[in-house]
Amino acid sequence: MDDDDDKARMAAGTRLVAVPVKRPRKAQVLNLPHNIIRTERVGNDMMVNGYHDDSGLNMTLVGLGKSAAITSSLFLERRYESEGRSHAFNAMVEADGSGLIGVPTVGAEWESGRYVWRSDSSDISFVTKATAGTLNSAGALAATPKDKVATHPDYRCEVSCIDWYGNSRPIFTGGRIFGLMGTALVEAEMAEGKVREKARIDLT
């Protein structure tokens, strides 16, 4: 993000094209105030993440009903995406359309390289989605320094210990919330609109 050309593209924003599969001639062009580094399905809608400048991450929810439209936007100050492999199933959406979204982030711009070989642990930032589509920050699960390396003296990684899911990702299963960060598995719960750590285990 230090390159002048990249910053110019971020500031200019990006055009997003929504193409109905059954009606491709009805494609719509939406103007986003930031570039695009990730698109993620959230129920029947789409989350589009990117940067306008180097001050933090922008998250824009695009509603995909009869027509495409920007439903809500959220700015995560001094948070940066750090993981390009952890795509799909990063959201839990209820029958009423409300939901919870997780994305791997770090708090320093220099840590945000999304390279395929990057395997340092990241935090997981969570965002709530209201029934009407409004986005709100729900805090984060922190990857502590001990998560960045194997803590058990006998642990030896042999095959695909991290690369198959990336360094960090949310897991939603059975109505429960988890964060997998390096070799740590953290369970969380929602309390007053924020995620809160309940328990943490070292998988090694």
Side-chain angles (χ1 to χ4, degrees):
M1 293 172 58
D2 293 329
D3 183 84
D4 289 340
D5 291 338
D6 288 341
K7 289 185 177 182
R9 283 192 291 270
M10 287 190 294
T14 303
R15 290 187 300 172
L16 174 71
V17 181
V19 183
V21 175
K22 295 182 179 180
R23 296 175 292 116
R25 294 180 181 273
K26 298 293 185 178
Q28 292 179 256
V29 178
L30 303 178
N31 293 311
L32 300 179
H34 55 78
N35 68 0
I36 299 173
I37 61 170
R38 177 191 292 261
T39 58
E40 193 85 55
R41 181 178 175 179
V42 178
N44 294 322
D45 300 323
M46 187 67 64
M47 181 68 74
V48 183
N49 295 352
Y51 299 102
H52 173 71
D53 53 35
D54 58 5
S55 61
L57 181 67
N58 293 272
M59 303 179 70
T60 297
L61 183 67
V62 178
L64 299 176
K66 292 183 179 180
S67 61
I70 294 176
T71 303
S72 181
S73 294
L74 179 68
F75 174 64
L76 299 181
E77 185 176 4
R78 307 312 298 176
R79 301 305 304 182
Y80 305 92
E81 276 209 28
S82 57
E83 174 53 58
R85 296 165 291 180
S86 298
H87 278 254
F89 311 115
N90 287 343
M92 173 177 64
V93 180
E94 305 292 348
D96 64 358
S98 64
L100 184 64
I101 304 150
V103 60
T105 65
V106 290
E109 182 184 347
W110 62 267
E111 294 183 292
S112 62
R114 302 165 78 243
Y115 308 112
V116 296
W117 60 83
R118 185 185 189 281
S119 292
D120 290 340
S121 296
S122 301
D123 302 333
I124 300 178
S125 293
F126 287 90
V127 173
T128 58
K129 172 185 176 291
T131 301
T134 305
L135 301 176
N136 286 289
S137 173
L141 293 179
T144 62
K146 68 179 182 180
D147 298 332
K148 296 180 182 297
V149 295
T151 57
H152 194 285
D154 296 331
Y155 174 72
R156 296 292 182 273
C157 176
E158 294 183 4
V159 179
S160 292
C161 302
I162 294 176
D163 63 324
W164 63 275
Y165 64 81
N167 63 24
S168 303
R169 68 171 306 142
I171 299 172
F172 304 105
T173 181
R176 299 166 73 182
I177 305 166
F178 295 91
L180 184 58
M181 297 174 283
T183 59
L185 181 63
V186 180
E187 183 172 7
E189 61 183 355
M190 291 295 294
E192 298 180 350
K194 300 293 183 181
V195 293
R196 181 174 64 190
E197 181 174 328
K198 289 178 61 178
R200 179 182 296 250
I201 61 172
D202 182 348
L203 297 178
T204 66

